Structures are given as C-alpha cells and as structure tokens.
Amino acid sequence: MARQARTLIPGQVMHVMVRGNNRETIFFGGEDRHIYLEWLREAARQFACAVHAFALMPNHAHLLLTPQKEDSLAKTMQSLGRRYAQYFNQQHHRSGTIWEGRYRSSLIDPDYFLRCQRYIELNPVRAGYESSPQDSSWTSFATHIGGKREPWLADHQHFWRLGNTPFERQMNWANFVKEGAPHWEDQQITESLLRSKPWISDIYANKLFKDDPEATKIRDRGRPRKIKLINSVT
C-alpha cells in the first residue's frame, strides 16, 4: 500500500502520535518517560520545533508541536525515535524495532488548537487509566494549570488568549478541560490523526488548500459534523 502524503506547513501546529510495534508497551515506568521527554526537548530545540503539549501512554505518545522548517518535524521525530529505541532495547534487554511504522501526524487549524490540546491531555482519562486529568503525572496538563513545570514547553498564542495573567489562563484551561469534549469531536481528531489528514475548518481549508482540495479529504466515511470555532474559553 502506498504511503499517504503528509500535510505539513512550517509555522502551523501538528498533532503527532507514535505507537509501539504491535501496540506493545514503550514506557514501563517513570524513568522511560523522563528520558523520552528529555530527548524530545533536545531534538525539538536542535531541529526547530516548538512543543506545546504531550501525553505519554503505556504503548503510545501524543505530541502537539509547531515545526518552524519543512524538515523540522521529520528530523525531530527521527532523532527522538532512533535514540529512544536504542535506549529502550538496551534497558529492557530486547532487540528489533519498537515502533509501529512511521509516526502519524495531522495539521491542526489554529482555531482548533485548544480542542486538540484538551484531547491530548485527557488521553489518560479517555483510555481509563486515570479518573481525572490532574491524576496523570505524564501529560502536560499539570504544567498548564500551574503545577509541575516543564519550562521547555511553548505556550501557543491561543493558550495566551485564555487570560491576561498566568492564574487566569490556568483557571480557564482547567475549566475547559473539565468540561470534556463531545464524542464526535474526539472521533474527528482521532480519524484525522490516524489517516494523517488535517483537522481544519472549511474556511481554513479553502485558504490553505484551494489548489489541492484532496489534501484535506478523508475518504470512505460519512461527512464529519461541523464544529464551532472557539477563540477563547471564558
């Protein structure tokens, strides 16, 4: 089967997922996760990617990044993937690939950014590992509500619009995540990611892809429901 073409525009947010081969565990404990995040920080800095959010699940990871150059995302993920795989095999006395093929990626409409970040930080709750997002030690949620700090994370402009002070932004974010997301929204984000298609509005699609409308289409499924744009969460 031919590989699906990726849609990437420098300066535009990307939702990325990597998964363990055969959905096997890739993070056995805190040490594995700590090392993965440290090497993500280093690779993103080296290859010019801003990292906004993350969720490290036992057998997969979600990342929200803005690559600054055409090859920023690919180089970041390749460097991180190779380095972590070598460490993982040595640490856990195994050999062979640990990844399920290439990483999946989906370009995100700026007006959908907060919804996608919420999707990522609610991943442990949605999967049944935690009862609330604050219970998870390995997502960026704690950073965004003023708890555990990951100073290398870069807040997106839409996150800054949540309030004029850090406290306002943290409270508004906590409330927005607490509201949860409708099931159809989670489905749209998931399907776009698994098919490496953009998750964008019709208006944004016409602006960016007027010469290539096929780039945004997801085939063989019903037409997705329209979603309301959000500019703030107050």
Side-chain angles (χ1 to χ4, degrees):
M1 181 181 295
R3 288 184 173 184
Q4 292 188 24
R6 297 190 188 279
T7 302
L8 185 148
I9 300 173
Q12 301 298 314
V13 177
M14 300 291 293
H15 179 193
V16 176
M17 182 187 72
V18 292
R19 189 156 57 190
N21 191 37
N22 295 321
R23 304 197 180 192
E24 294 176 353
T25 298
I26 54 174
F27 302 114
F28 280 106
E31 183 178 0
D32 289 349
R33 290 178 170 89
H34 176 78
I35 286 175
Y36 186 87
L37 289 179
E38 177 63 20
W39 289 342
L40 168 62
R41 180 188 65 82
E42 292 180 5
R45 181 177 59 184
Q46 180 179 358
F47 299 112
C49 270
V51 183
H52 308 297
F54 64 84
L56 306 186
M57 307 296 288
N59 67 357
H60 68 281
H62 286 273
L63 307 173
L64 197 59
L65 315 95
T66 298
Q68 300 303 321
K69 303 176 183 178
E70 290 186 1
D71 61 354
S72 291
L73 181 60
K75 286 186 175 181
T76 296
M77 298 309 297
Q78 288 168 5
S79 173
L80 174 62
R82 290 169 182 167
R83 193 176 184 184
Y84 184 77
Q86 183 178 26
Y87 152 82
F88 187 86
N89 282 340
Q90 291 176 348
Q91 182 73 10
H92 300 291
H93 310 291
R94 66 181 304 280
S95 62
T97 184
I98 71 169
W99 305 116
E100 183 186 71
R102 300 190 303 165
Y103 62 88
R104 309 292 180 92
S105 64
S106 174
L107 184 143
I108 302 300
D109 189 316
D111 286 315
Y112 295 173
F113 173 85
L114 295 177
R115 295 178 182 271
C116 191
Q117 181 168 299
R118 176 174 64 183
Y119 171 95
I120 289 172
E121 294 183 352
L122 278 174
N123 206 240
V125 177
R126 194 166 50 251
Y129 288 103
E130 307 288 356
S131 58
S132 63
Q134 57 264 33
D135 292 334
S136 177
S137 301
W138 295 104
T139 76
S140 49
F141 180 74
T143 294
H144 290 132
I145 61 169
K148 177 184 176 183
R149 294 296 302 161
E150 300 285 357
W152 52 276
L153 290 178
D155 289 334
H156 189 268
Q157 60 179 335
H158 279 259
F159 187 83
W160 279 89
R161 293 177 187 174
L162 293 176
N164 294 321
T165 68
F167 179 75
E168 280 187 278
R169 292 190 289 272
Q170 292 158 10
M171 289 296 296
N172 283 331
W173 181 247
N175 290 334
F176 182 59
V177 174
K178 185 178 180 180
E179 290 176 6
H183 181 62
W184 61 263
E185 182 177 292
D186 288 343
Q187 285 184 313
Q188 282 193 356
I189 297 174
T190 299
E191 188 168 24
S192 297
L193 179 63
L194 293 179
R195 298 194 179 200
S196 288
K197 290 291 186 178
W199 189 52
I200 57 180
S201 67
D202 291 341
I203 294 174
Y204 201 62
N206 290 334
K207 176 182 177 181
L208 293 182
F209 303 105
K210 61 182 180 180
D211 296 327
D212 185 20
E214 294 297 316
T216 66
K217 292 182 179 179
I218 297 178
R219 300 295 187 183
D220 302 324
R221 300 288 175 91
R223 180 176 177 80
R225 295 175 57 180
K226 293 182 179 179
I227 72 173
K228 184 178 179 180
L229 302 183
I230 60 171
N231 294 314
S232 66
V233 191
T234 54

